[in-house]
Amino acid sequence: MAKALPNLISSSPWWQFVTWIADPLKFQRVYRRKYGDVFTMTLGGFGQYVVVGNPQMIQEIFNQDSQFDVGRGNFLAEPLIGENSLMLMDGDRHRRERKLLMPPFHGERLQTYAHQICQVSKAVADSWTVNQPFVARTAMQTVSLEVILQVVFGISEGDRYQQLKPLLTEWLNMTDSPLRSSILFFPFLQKDWGDWSPWGQMERRKKQVYQLLKDEIDERRSQDNKPATDVLSLMMAARDEAGQAMADKELQDELLTILFAGHETTATTLAWAFYQVHRCPQVREKLLQELDSLGDGASPMELAKLPYLNAVCQETLRMYPVLPIIFPRITKAPMQIAGYSLEPDTVLMPSIFLVHYREELYPEPEMFRPERFLERQFSPSEYLPFGGGSRRCLGYALALLEMKLVLATVLSRCELALAEDKPVKSQRRGFTLAPATGVRMLLTGRRNPAKISVTAQ
Ligand code: HEM
């Protein structure tokens, strides 16, 4: 007989499902108060999930990585990212794919993208008009989409670029509210009833995107002397241990995986960073002082090393996890974790949110205080905005670099202010959480355009 799971929530499974989809942060707050930092929820017909907000238990989960499946727990994302996505893989297939995809996102490779990121940020910041409000999240979405198109897809101009950009924006915006997001969680809504139905539109856009990506891959193959600097070219050139290249369908699915995993997440976190920097005058002051301490014409990599800028990004990622939980870890065999005896197929959900708001780790957790990251170090299970173990976010180094460079470029060129006094709340946006109003801001003046060198050296 299956053993009882820890602290099983007793309310109706469908009520739990609806309240989880509507507001996963409130859900976790309510049940942590009632049960402590480990509890089991039942989400409608999807089954039971053990939410884990305890760093020691999360460390045990990370330490026993190979004892869990992860990919099969991400099945809801398949319609967006395709069946050959890294996110849906497990075991040897996942290890092979990560090895193929990893190199473009780490080490010296990253530095080659830095100037492109600064140029994209500069173009967006220069397009704002003094005293005209803009929505920070939308602006950051423009930046992060452009970065993905240029750095990952290697597309920055021409017909294909002109078609792909609006198509991807429309596609991504289809789940921009809790109600519109429900299409991802209720398979019965995933029916193509023609052009007017949301799923029909989703499917048509997806088909067009896949065709454009296929055309791009075919074109690259036909001109193989082009120097390979973007991620797609590197992915096409990569070979596994058996000398095998990635198939076209695999390349297409991985491009969409990177788009869906990397675009919303980075844009949203940046919008929160702008929000907090402009809500806390002392943080803004300190950050500007640090930026100004660099002489004019600073290189992007000099910026990336600034400690307070780094701390501001870390604190934003702590306070506003775009994914409130990491990917589900599913036990493959009976196992013991933190004194609990778990049956096979038990689903554990380490909660970034619960850990990042623990008082003993982060005193006054509701306060935005970047200094905490200068005062002490946190272990991988105490601070996990990018998850952990073998599934740790593939793009974490790029995301962090992008956050620092965008913040530094924009803040050194622009005087900004929040357009509204009201506190901004988080709300669901597809699988992620984002600022409900998007953070409305105002350009109040220009600063030093010569601070950062945006031309490649
Ligand atoms: C602020 C930005 C970002 C945040 C907060 C974030 C967060 C995460 C988290 C929490 C996971 C799950 C890890 C786990 O379960 O242990 C993840 C996975 C992943 N992320 Fe990110 N991410 C960000 C940006 C990016 C970017 C820029 C890319 C790509 C360029 C990316 C690509 C991926 C991929 C491919 C996975 C799946 C990894 C696997 O299954 O092996 N992410 N991310």
Side-chain angles (χ1 to χ4, degrees), residues 9-281:
I9 299 174
S10 56
S11 54
S12 132
W14 285 104
W15 173 247
Q16 291 182 53
F17 181 56
V18 171
T19 48
W20 170 260
I21 299 299
D23 190 344
L25 300 187
K26 183 170 172 203
F27 186 103
Q28 293 185 71
R29 258 189 231 112
V30 167
Y31 291 109
R32 174 166 57 190
R33 222 173 292 132
K34 186 157 178 196
Y35 295 109
D37 49 21
V38 183
F39 51 83
T40 304
M41 59 186 183
T42 312
L43 298 184
F46 288 109
Q48 294 177 319
Y49 298 84
V50 183
V51 177
V52 183
N54 173 315
Q56 289 77 35
M57 188 163 167
I58 293 177
Q59 195 53 57
E60 281 193 46
I61 295 172
F62 287 161
N63 290 347
Q64 302 185 60
D65 232 12
S66 60
Q67 309 298 312
F68 299 98
D69 276 341
V70 174
R72 64 183 165 112
N74 285 335
F75 65 97
L76 281 175
E78 189 186 323
L80 298 178
I81 56 182
E83 59 190 7
N84 301 291
S85 165
L86 171 78
M87 264 166 63
L88 304 177
M89 294 177 188
D90 277 309
D92 288 345
R93 203 169 163 221
H94 178 257
R95 265 190 297 281
R96 168 197 181 259
E97 196 78 356
R98 258 189 97 102
K99 259 194 178 160
L100 286 169
L101 292 176
M102 202 71 139
F105 291 105
H106 292 92
E108 293 204 347
R109 270 287 156 214
L110 277 185
Q111 298 189 18
T112 59
Y113 313 139
H115 279 101
Q116 277 167 292
I117 297 173
C118 289
Q119 272 167 352
V120 169
S121 324
K122 171 189 174 296
V124 170
D126 289 357
S127 72
W128 298 328
T129 309
V130 174
N131 287 334
Q132 259 191 23
F134 65 93
V135 176
R137 199 187 169 284
T138 313
M140 291 306 112
Q141 208 172 333
T142 308
V143 172
S144 82
L145 181 59
E146 196 62 52
V147 168
I148 290 196
L149 281 171
Q150 290 192 23
V151 164
V152 180
F153 293 21
I155 308 177
S156 56
E157 53 192 14
D159 261 12
R160 202 165 293 136
Y161 167 81
Q162 295 300 344
Q163 290 178 60
L164 209 45
K165 200 172 161 179
L167 204 54
L168 291 174
T169 310
E170 285 160 21
W171 192 12
L172 291 158
N173 281 341
M174 291 193 70
T175 53
D176 62 1
S177 71
L179 190 63
R180 282 156 63 94
S181 302
S182 50
I183 194 171
L184 299 172
F185 300 94
F186 292 100
F188 67 87
L189 294 175
Q190 297 172 1
K191 293 270 171 346
D192 184 351
W193 301 109
D195 271 350
W196 58 270
S197 66
W199 200 254
Q201 289 174 15
M202 189 94 108
E203 288 291 304
R204 261 165 273 295
R205 285 186 180 130
K206 181 171 164 182
K207 219 169 142 193
Q208 286 171 281
V209 170
Y210 268 87
Q211 188 54 52
L212 288 165
L213 294 181
K214 173 92 180 70
D215 295 345
E216 182 66 25
I217 293 168
D218 288 346
E219 195 179 297
R220 298 276 176 100
R221 289 207 201 287
S222 69
Q223 25 166 272
D224 53 2
N225 52 352
K226 204 175 156 190
T229 51
D230 58 84
V231 175
L232 172 58
S233 300
L234 296 170
M235 276 159 60
M236 288 173 69
R239 297 289 178 272
D240 65 13
E241 280 155 10
Q244 286 289 315
M246 291 167 78
D248 283 3
K249 185 69 178 62
E250 209 177 344
L251 288 167
Q252 287 165 304
D253 286 354
E254 295 304 15
L255 285 176
L256 286 184
T257 300
I258 292 166
L259 173 78
F260 276 99
H263 167 62
E264 295 269 320
T265 44
T266 313
T268 293
T269 316
L270 271 164
W272 283 123
F274 279 105
Y275 172 66
Q276 282 296 353
V277 165
H278 293 88
R279 244 177 104 77
C280 312

Side-chain angles (χ1 to χ4, degrees), residues 278-290:
H278 293 88
R279 244 177 104 77
C280 312
Q282 72 289 2
V283 170
R284 180 171 176 272
E285 187 96 339
K286 232 170 148 172
L287 191 52
L288 289 179
Q289 260 175 25
E290 188 181 61

